[in-house]
C-alpha cells in the first residue's frame, strides 16, 4: 500500500447502486459479475473468506490491501483459475460452474502482472485464443486489434523483441481477441515504468468505456486506484474490510 490513509472499518461506503464514472448512463440494477460468499481455503489456511460483491458493466473495481491479503487469490477465483471451496461467482446471473472452463475464460479474460506470450509473432499470439474456440481472426481483425492497443504494424514482430510495455499491450490485445465480457487485471503495470504504466491505464479505461466491459483490477498502488477505479475494495487476511467509491475508501492519494 502507498502512503494513503485507508478507512478500515468493515462496511459498505456510499450508495452501492450509484452511477459511476465509466458506467454513466447504465441501468443501476445491471450486474455483470457477482460473487456470493466466495471463499477458498487450502490445508486449513484461509485465502479468501466469504466475499460478496458485484460489479456493473463499464465499472472498474480496484482490489487493494497489504501483501498476503488475498488480492490475487480473489482474482483467480473469478475465472476459476483456482477453485472456490465455498460460495460461487455469477456471470450475468448465471452460476459460472455451469460454464465449461474454456468458455468461462473466454468471457472473463485475464491480464497478468507479466505478459506471458507464446514464442513467435504477435499475430500468432492474437490468433491463438479464437482458434481454440473454432474461430479464425482475419488479418484485418488482427490489424484492428493492434491499432486499438497502439501497436499498428506489429503483426510480424517477434514477441522476444518487444519492450515490457509493448508486451503488455499485446497481452491485452490477445485477451480482447476473445471478446470478453469482463476483464481481470492482476497488477498489470507494476513491472512498467511510469510512462508505460499510464499508457496502459488510459488504454484500459478507453476500451472499457467503448465495450462496456466489467473490470476488476488488483493493484498495490492506491494512487493508480484513484486514477482508474470507480469503486475500491480493501482486503485483509482474505476478508473484505471495506468497499465503496474510491475517493471515499482511500484518502490522500
Amino acid at each position: 500500500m502507498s502512503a494513503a490513509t485507508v478507512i478500515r472499518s468493515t462496511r459498505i461506503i456510499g450508495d452501492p447502486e450509484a452511477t459511476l464514472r465509466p458506467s454513466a448512463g447504465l441501468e443501476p440494477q445491471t450486474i455483470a459479475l457477482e460473487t456470493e460468499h466466495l471463499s477458498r481455503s487450502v490445508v486449513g489456511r484461509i485465502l479468501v473468506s466469504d466475499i460478496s460483491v458485484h460489479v456493473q458493466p463499464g465499472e472498474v473495481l480496484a482490489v487493494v490491501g497489504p501483501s498476503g491479503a488475498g488480492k490475487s487469490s480473489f482474482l483467480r477465483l473469478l475465472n476459476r483459475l483456482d477453485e472456490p471451496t465455498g460460495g460461487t461467482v455469477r456471470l450475468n446471473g448465471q452460476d459460472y460452474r455451469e460454464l465449461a472452463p474454456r468458455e468461462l475464460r473466454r468471457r472473463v479474460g485475464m491480464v497478468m502482472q507479466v505478459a506471458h506470450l507464446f514464442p513467435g509473432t504477435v499475430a500468432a499470439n492474437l490468433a491463438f485464443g479464437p482458434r481454440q474456440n473454432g474461430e479464425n481472426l482475419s488479418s484485418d481483425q488482427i490489424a484492428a486489434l493492434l491499432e486499438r492497443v497502439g501497436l499498428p504494424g506489429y503483426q510480424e514482430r517477434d514477441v522476444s523483441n518487444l519492450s515490457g510495455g509493448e508486451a503488455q499491450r499485446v497481452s491485452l490485445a490477445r485477451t480482447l481477441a476473445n471478446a470478453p465480457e469482463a476483464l481481470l487485471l492482476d497488477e498489470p503495470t507494476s513491472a512498467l515504468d511510469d510512462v508505460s504504466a499510464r499508457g496502459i491505464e488510459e488504454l484500459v479505461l478507453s476500451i472499457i468505456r467503448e465495450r462496456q466491459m466489467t473490470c476488476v483490477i488488483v493493484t498495490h498502488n492506491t494512487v493508480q486506484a484513484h486514477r482508474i477505479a470507480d469503486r475500491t475494495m480493501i482486503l485483509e487476511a482474505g476478508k473484505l474490510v471495506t468497499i465503496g467509491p474510491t475517493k471515499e475508501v482511500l484518502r490522500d492519494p
Side-chain angles (χ1 to χ4, degrees), residues 52-141:
S52 297
V53 298
H54 69 264
V55 194
Q56 295 177 206
E59 180 184 7
V60 180
L61 175 67
V63 184
V64 304
S67 178
K71 302 184 298 295
S72 292
S73 294
F74 172 74
L75 200 71
R76 289 174 62 87
L77 290 175
L78 296 182
N79 70 351
R80 292 185 76 185
L81 286 178
D82 290 331
E83 195 71 17
T85 53
T88 192
V89 176
R90 294 188 180 277
L91 181 61
N92 293 323
Q94 182 180 16
D95 191 318
Y96 77 165
R97 293 172 296 188
E98 298 173 1
L99 300 171
R102 180 177 292 177
E103 171 68 8
L104 173 65
R105 289 164 196 155
R106 182 193 69 77
R107 295 173 63 186
V108 182
M110 191 168 192
V111 176
M112 310 295 283
Q113 179 176 351
V114 177
H116 296 288
L117 302 176
F118 309 124
T121 67
V122 168
N125 270 267
L126 267 59
F128 178 82
R131 187 177 298 123
Q132 299 305 300
N133 294 300
E135 303 171 9
N136 289 311
L137 284 184
S138 70
S139 58
D140 287 345
Q141 288 173 311

Side-chain angles (χ1 to χ4, degrees), residues 38-42 45-50 73 77 82-86:
L38 191 63
S39 303
R40 177 171 168 81
S41 60
V42 177
R45 181 187 172 203
I46 296 174
L47 302 178
V48 175
S49 179
D50 194 31
S73 294
L77 290 175
D82 290 331
E83 195 71 17
T85 53

Side-chain angles (χ1 to χ4, degrees), residues 28-45:
Q29 68 270 22
T30 302
I31 296 174
L33 194 65
E34 182 176 18
T35 70
E36 295 180 347
H37 306 290
L38 191 63
S39 303
R40 177 171 168 81
S41 60
V42 177
V43 196
R45 181 187 172 203

Side-chain angles (χ1 to χ4, degrees), residues 108-182:
V108 182
M110 191 168 192
V111 176
M112 310 295 283
Q113 179 176 351
V114 177
H116 296 288
L117 302 176
F118 309 124
T121 67
V122 168
N125 270 267
L126 267 59
F128 178 82
R131 187 177 298 123
Q132 299 305 300
N133 294 300
E135 303 171 9
N136 289 311
L137 284 184
S138 70
S139 58
D140 287 345
Q141 288 173 311
I142 290 173
L145 279 168
L146 290 173
E147 181 78 30
R148 184 63 194 85
V149 299
L151 298 176
Y154 272 59
Q155 291 91 319
E156 299 308 315
R157 296 275 187 105
D158 192 285
V159 298
S160 63
N161 296 324
L162 299 176
S163 69
E166 290 170 339
Q168 204 61 315
R169 286 172 183 263
V170 171
S171 181
L172 177 59
R174 185 176 65 182
T175 299
L176 295 175
N178 288 317
E181 300 163 35

